[in-house]
Amino acid sequence: MSTARASDRLFALLQRCLPTRLLSLCMYRLTRVRWKPFKNLFIRVFMRGFGIRLDEAIETEPDAFVDFNAFFTRALQPSARPLAPAPALLSPVDGTLSQFGPLQAGRLMQAKGHDYDAASLLADAADAARFTGGDFATIYLAPYNYHRIHMPLSGRLSGWRYIPGRLFSVNASTARAMPRLFARNERLVAFFDSDQGAFAMVLVGALFVGGIETVWTGAVTPPHHRGPPGDLQRPTTPLALQRGDEMGRFNMGSTVILLTTPGLVQWSHTLQGAQTLRMGESLGQAR
């Protein structure tokens, strides 16, 4: 049974009526305004509202960022996120672990009372079949989190697919109330091969997420497209990324879903839902 409250259902209903693409495009433009009085005030109000400090960042002066997006996607000092020793499977982001566990019959848990199938999430049944019997972890990035996305394992990029979709919020309230939320929203799926097995990183867009980027394509969105899923793209030259390397970023916050093939990971016995994670922490052992 779903745990959605009346307020959750009302919020989900409201989002269905909102021009979410237009709102997200407006946010994209606002976050790139370079007029100093505006962007400095925007940054300082945001920092105050979410209790953000810059002591871990490379740039520690709020007014030094060229625009709000540069502040939001700020780089951290190398020592700020130490990596758990190999063979740990690393958390790819700072965030909250909303769900994790096995892909039972190829389905992922979204929230109590809601699950969805990997084929819908990846927009391809054959790709999803590779992960049947494997595992998944869903990590939500709140506005106050660090918003660069890193590699959980060393891997070689085998392909990626952009999937147009809606731009609903991905917070816990919407996840409780809206079925198949992550399979509805715009997303980018990146597939990697590693020495331990294959894994996929799903970067889910959301309301006010002004853009998704990867290190090999640059900006993927905007524009926010409509229509069927894109074809699987393959790298023209080999691309290998080491565990802990940056692989992408969100311009505003969202969710990352990690999928692994059967037997790749043994989850840590201390891991639990709603746990706060930092990039580089161990999720379990890669085998």
Side-chain angles (χ1 to χ4, degrees), residues 25-43:
L25 180 59
C26 290
M27 181 61 72
Y28 177 88
R29 290 176 176 170
L30 282 174
T31 59
R32 284 157 177 78
V33 172
R34 295 193 173 191
W35 186 48
K36 290 183 179 180
F38 175 82
K39 63 95 175 174
N40 290 347
L41 179 62
F42 194 179
I43 290 169

Side-chain angles (χ1 to χ4, degrees), residues 183-203:
R184 293 180 182 212
N185 270 18
E186 176 182 80
R187 55 206 180 275
L188 177 97
V189 183
F191 298 97
F192 295 92
D193 294 320
S194 76
D195 293 342
Q196 294 85 0
F199 62 93
M201 301 273 284
V202 185
L203 282 54

Side-chain angles (χ1 to χ4, degrees), residues 212-230:
I212 298 173
E213 296 184 19
T214 69
V215 298
W216 60 89
T217 61
V220 177
T221 63
H224 304 287
H225 296 284
R226 300 174 186 265

Side-chain angles (χ1 to χ4, degrees), residues 146 148-151 155 157 160 188 190 192 203 212-220 239-242 244-250:
Y146 167 63
R148 298 194 182 195
I149 306 160
H150 296 254
M151 293 289 286
L157 179 67
W160 69 94
L188 177 97
F192 295 92
L203 282 54
I212 298 173
E213 296 184 19
T214 69
V215 298
W216 60 89
T217 61
V220 177
L239 176 64
L241 297 172
Q242 301 303 306
D245 284 354
E246 182 182 343
M247 61 81 62
R249 64 182 67 174
F250 288 121

Side-chain angles (χ1 to χ4, degrees), residues 75-147:
L76 300 183
Q77 298 172 20
S79 60
R81 295 294 183 273
L83 306 183
L89 179 74
L90 305 178
S91 174
V93 291
D94 285 13
T96 301
L97 181 66
S98 58
Q99 301 289 339
F100 74 101
L103 276 82
Q104 297 179 338
R107 301 189 71 82
L108 297 79
M109 179 66 71
Q110 175 177 298
K112 188 174 181 180
H114 292 302
D115 64 4
Y116 61 103
D117 63 288
S120 296
L121 178 68
L122 304 181
D124 189 278
D127 286 335
R130 301 169 61 198
F131 298 97
T132 299
D135 291 89
F136 80 99
T138 302
I139 306 173
Y140 167 69
L141 289 75
Y144 52 79
N145 286 128
Y146 167 63
H147 276 82

